[in-house]
C-alpha cells in the first residue's frame, strides 16, 4: 500500500485556522487515492484538533533531536513524506533523506512565511516593500527548504511568481494548489439568507496569526469610527480562535465593537452577517476567511493584500480599498445598496466555481507526483542547488542535532 508520512508543525485545527483547513484538504486528496497515512507531530495535542484516528490515520507524537525517530522512520518506510511548513523540513528533512532516500519529499508552505514577514516589516515602518525586506534570513531558510524538496506546494499564484521571477526557482520544483472546494459545495445554496435578512459586519481570523490582530486593531482605531458615523445602528462582531487579553480588551458595547471569541462553525457564523470587513495590511498566501465568505454568499471589503491570489481575472465579491476613508465608504455602500450587494455575492460564486474547484486540481496534483517519482533520480540531478544544500545540511544540521541530543542526555 502507498504510504504517506506527514510531519506536521501542529495538529490540524480546521475550525481554528485556514492552515488547518488546507491540511485537511490535502489529507482528503491522499485518502481518496488509497494512501495509508501517518501524521507525526512534535507539538502538544490540542483539544480543538481533528481526531485523525477516526479517519483511519495513525497519529504519532515525535520529538526533534531524537535518534529514535530514525529507526521508527526506517521501519515505516514511507513512499511520500510531506513537511508541513519549512520549519519541519529543517528539523526532520535530513533524517528523511538519510533513512529513506527514495521517499518523495513534498513541502507544503501553507504560505510563504518570509513574504509575510517582509510585508510586516514594511507595514510596521509605514513604507513600501523593498528588496532588502524580501532577501532576508527567513527567505534564505525557506527557499533552502524548497530547494531540498522534490516538490513544493504553493497556495497562491502571486507567491509562485515571486519565487520564479525574483528568486529564479525552477518551476518544476513548484506546484500551484490553492484551497480546494468540492464541486457539490461550489453551487450557491438556495437556503442562503438574503440581503434584507442579514445585518451587521463580521471579522473572523485566528489571533495566533499577526495579520489578523493588526487588522482588528486597524478596524478599531481607524475604520470603525468612520463607519459608525455613517451607520450608527450597525455592529461589528469580531470572531477568532486564541483571542488573548489584548484582543478581549477591545470589546466596547458603547462603540458596538464586540469581541465574540471562537466561532464554533465558521461558515454558519459568517452566513448570518451582511458584510465581512477585513482590511489586512500585510500577509501572504490565500486568506481562508474570504473563501468562506464567498461560499456563504457574504460580500467582503478588504485591501489589495487581502484579495491577493484569489479572484484572478474575475471581479472581487465586494470592494477592494487601501485607504481608511475609502475602506469605510466601500463598507457603507456594500451594506446599504442591495443591488450592489447582490452583484458582489454573484461575483463570489463565480470565483469559487472557476478558481477553487477541487476537481480542477486533484488529477494534475497526482499526475505531477507520479511523473516526478518515475524520474526521481534525474529530477534531483537537475536540481543541483538542492542537492548541494542537502549535502551541507547533512554535514551541519545533522551534527548540531546529534550534539543537542547528547547534551540533553547529560542534563
Amino acid at each position: 500500500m502507498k504510504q504517506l508520512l506527514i510531519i506536521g508543525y501542529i495538529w490540524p485545527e480546521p475550525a481554528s485556522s485556514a492552515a488547518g483547513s488546507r491540511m485537511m484538504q490535502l489529507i482528503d486528496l491522499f485518502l481518496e487515492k488509497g494512501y495509508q497515512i501517518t501524521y507525526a507531530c512534535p507539538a502538544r495535542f490540542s483539544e480543538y484538533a481533528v481526531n485523525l484516528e477516526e479517519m483511519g490515520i495513525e497519529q504519532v507524537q515525535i520529538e526533534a533531536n531524537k535518534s529514535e525517530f530514525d529507526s521508527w522512520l526506517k521501519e515505516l518506510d514511507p513512499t511520500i513524506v510531506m513537511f508541513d511548513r519549512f520549519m519541519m523540513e529543517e528539523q526532520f528533512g535530513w533524517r528523511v533523506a538519510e533513512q529513506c532516500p527514495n521517499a518523495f519529499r513534498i513541502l507544503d508552505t501553507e504560505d510563504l512565511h518570509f513574504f509575510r514577514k517582509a510585508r510586516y516589516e514594511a507595514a510596521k515602518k509605514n513604507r513600501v516593500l523593498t528588496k532588502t525586506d524580501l532577501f532576508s534570513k527567513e527567505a534564505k531558510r525557506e527557499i533552502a527548504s524548497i530547494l531540498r524538496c522534490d516538490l513544493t506546494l504553493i497556495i497562491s499564484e502571486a507567491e509562485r511568481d515571486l519565487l520564479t521571477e525574483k528568486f529564479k526557482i525552477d518551476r518544476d520544483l513548484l506546484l500551484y494548489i490553492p484551497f480546494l472546494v468540492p464541486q457539490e459545495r461550489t453551487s450557491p445554496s438556495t437556503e442562503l439568507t438574503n440581503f434584507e435578512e442579514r445585518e451587521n459586519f463580521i471579522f473572523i481570523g485566528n489571533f495566533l496569526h499577526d495579520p489578523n490582530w493588526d487588522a482588528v486593531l486597524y478596524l478599531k482605531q481607524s475604520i470603525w469610527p468612520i463607519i459608525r458615523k455613517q451607520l450608527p445602528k450597525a455592529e461589528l462582531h469580531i470572531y477568532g480562535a486564541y483571542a488573548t487579553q489584548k484582543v478581549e480588551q477591545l470589546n466596547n458595547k458603547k462603540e458596538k465593537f464586540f469581541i465574540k471569541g471562537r466561532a464554533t462553525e465558521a461558515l454558519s457564523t459568517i452566513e448570518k452577517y451582511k458584510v465581512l470587513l477585513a482590511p489586512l495590511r500585510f500577509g501572504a498566501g490565500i486568506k481562508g476567511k474570504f473563501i468562506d465568505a464567498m461560499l456563504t454568499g457574504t460580500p467582503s471589503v478588504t485591501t489589495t493584500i487581502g484579495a491577493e491570489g484569489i479572484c484572478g481575472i474575475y471581479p472581487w465579491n465586494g470592494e477592494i480599498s487601501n485607504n481608511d476613508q475609502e475602506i469605510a465608504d466601500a463598507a457603507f455602500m456594500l451594506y446599504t445598496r442591495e443591488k450592489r450587494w447582490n452583484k458582489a455575492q454573484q461575483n463570489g460564486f463565480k470565483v469559487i466555481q472557476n478558481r477553487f474547484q477541487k476537481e480542477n486540481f486533484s488529477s494534475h496534483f497526482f499526475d505531477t507526483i507520479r511523473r516526478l517519482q518515475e524520474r526521481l533520480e534525474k529530477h534531483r540531478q537537475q536540481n543541483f542547488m538542492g542537492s548541494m544544500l542537502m549535502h551541507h545540511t547533512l554535514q551541519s544540521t545533522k551534527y548540531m542535532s546529534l550534539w543537542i541530543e547528547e547534551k540533553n542526555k547529560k542534563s
Side-chain angles (χ1 to χ4, degrees):
M1 182 177 283
K2 296 171 290 187
Q3 174 81 45
L4 168 68
L5 168 64
I6 301 172
I7 301 180
Y9 181 64
I10 58 173
W11 298 99
E13 296 182 30
S16 301
S17 70
S21 296
R22 158 71 162 191
M23 177 52 70
M24 295 309 299
Q25 290 166 9
L26 294 175
I27 285 173
D28 285 342
L29 284 181
F30 282 101
L31 285 176
E32 288 169 7
K33 284 292 182 181
Y35 276 80
Q36 183 176 329
I37 301 177
T38 301
Y39 192 101
C41 181
R44 284 189 298 178
F45 195 78
S46 162
E47 62 178 302
Y48 300 108
V50 171
N51 186 337
L52 297 172
E53 290 182 344
E54 292 180 352
M55 302 170 63
I57 297 168
E58 184 184 13
Q59 297 181 162
V60 178
Q61 191 91 34
I62 56 174
E63 291 183 70
N65 306 312
K66 290 276 188 169
S67 55
E68 288 84 353
F69 177 84
D70 296 352
S71 53
W72 172 81
L73 176 66
K74 195 164 188 176
E75 184 178 350
L76 184 68
D77 192 25
T79 316
I80 298 175
V81 177
M82 184 164 70
F83 303 101
D84 173 27
R85 288 165 260 205
F86 78 92
M87 298 82 83
M88 292 299 93
E89 190 281 332
E90 284 183 329
Q91 288 277 357
F92 297 98
W94 66 270
R95 293 183 183 274
V96 171
E98 195 171 64
Q99 301 301 322
C100 304
N102 296 321
F104 188 77
R105 300 188 297 269
I106 299 175
L107 173 64
D108 179 36
T109 55
E110 298 290 352
D111 64 16
L112 288 178
H113 292 60
F114 80 86
F115 194 25
R116 173 162 27 99
K117 186 167 183 182
R119 280 177 162 167
Y120 169 68
E121 292 298 327
K124 189 168 62 173
K125 295 168 184 173
N126 197 28
R127 57 170 174 74
V128 297
L129 187 70
T130 67
K131 196 172 181 179
T132 303
D133 295 322
L134 283 174
F135 287 64
S136 61
K137 288 188 294 184
E138 288 76 16
K140 291 168 186 172
R141 288 175 59 195
E142 193 161 11
I143 290 172
S145 284
I146 289 170
L147 289 170
R148 285 193 295 262
C149 288
D150 300 312
L151 186 68
T152 293
L153 308 183
I154 304 295
I155 202 167
S156 162
E157 291 155 319
E159 296 190 350
R160 180 195 61 194
D161 294 344
L162 175 72
L163 289 171
T164 56
E165 293 168 14
K166 285 277 186 188
F167 294 93
K168 309 304 179 188
I169 304 298
D170 188 338
R171 278 183 177 261
D172 278 352
L173 297 174
L174 309 175
L175 184 63
Y176 167 60
I177 298 284
F179 282 119
L180 303 170
V181 180
Q183 189 172 8
E184 63 270 17
R185 290 181 56 202
T186 60
S187 298
S189 170
T190 55
E191 299 177 2
L192 288 176
T193 50
N194 61 30
F195 177 85
E196 292 294 339
E197 295 172 317
R198 300 191 190 208
E199 61 180 359
N200 299 325
F201 293 88
I202 181 174
F203 174 93
I204 189 166
N206 186 324
F207 286 107
L208 296 178
H209 198 53
D210 288 336
N212 289 327
W213 160 243
D214 176 78
V216 169
L217 203 58
Y218 180 39
L219 281 169
K220 173 78 170 180
Q221 295 172 346
S222 303
I223 307 298
W224 188 241
I226 304 174
I227 294 175
R228 279 201 70 228
K229 289 177 183 178
Q230 300 170 317
L231 297 165
K233 293 183 179 180
E235 299 178 358
L236 174 56
H237 295 182
I238 308 292
Y239 290 88
Y242 302 105
T244 59
Q245 187 178 0
K246 68 180 181 180
V247 178
E248 301 284 355
Q249 287 175 344
L250 298 181
N251 188 75
N252 191 308
K253 186 177 180 180
K254 185 180 177 182
E255 296 175 1
K256 298 186 177 178
F257 191 100
F258 296 99
I259 305 299
K260 294 288 190 176
R262 181 185 289 270
T264 306
E265 212 288 317
L267 293 177
S268 60
T269 300
I270 295 171
E271 200 262 335
K272 299 172 186 174
Y273 291 86
K274 189 168 281 187
V275 174
L276 174 76
L277 188 55
L280 299 171
R281 294 190 286 188
F282 62 95
I286 289 178
K287 295 74 182 174
K289 57 176 67 63
F290 299 115
I291 306 300
D292 288 345
M294 291 177 185
L295 287 169
T296 59
T298 308
S300 60
V301 178
T302 189
T303 58
T304 304
I305 285 176
E308 183 179 76
I310 294 179
C311 55
I313 63 171
Y314 300 92
W316 184 250
N317 77 319
E319 308 290 337
I320 300 172
S321 300
N322 298 296
N323 168 277
D324 299 2
Q325 185 67 53
E326 290 175 0
I327 292 170
D329 290 344
F332 173 78
M333 286 190 294
L334 208 49
Y335 195 86
T336 58
R337 300 183 184 180
E338 184 173 0
K339 191 173 180 181
R340 193 181 191 109
W341 188 92
N342 285 328
K343 178 64 175 173
Q345 184 185 71
Q346 292 304 313
N347 288 343
F349 295 146
K350 287 178 184 175
V351 170
I352 292 294
Q353 290 163 357
N354 289 283
R355 300 266 300 158
F356 295 99
Q357 277 203 45
K358 173 184 173 181
E359 290 73 16
N360 293 342
F361 295 94
S362 54
S363 293
H364 181 57
F365 177 51
F366 287 106
D367 286 346
T368 300
I369 291 174
R370 184 170 57 252
R371 174 174 57 82
L372 295 179
Q373 281 179 315
E374 288 172 353
R375 52 185 290 272
L376 188 56
E377 185 177 352
K378 186 176 181 181
H379 178 62
R380 289 177 176 173
Q381 286 173 352
Q382 289 173 336
N383 177 24
F384 180 76
M385 292 295 289
S387 299
M388 182 179 69
L389 285 165
M390 181 59 78
H391 169 77
H392 284 288
T393 298
L394 283 168
Q395 301 308 311
S396 56
T397 310
K398 172 182 176 178
Y399 290 105
M400 174 61 77
S401 181
L402 293 173
W403 178 80
I404 292 170
E405 184 177 0
E406 286 302 312
K407 183 172 177 289
N408 290 339
K409 287 177 183 177
K410 295 175 183 176
S411 61

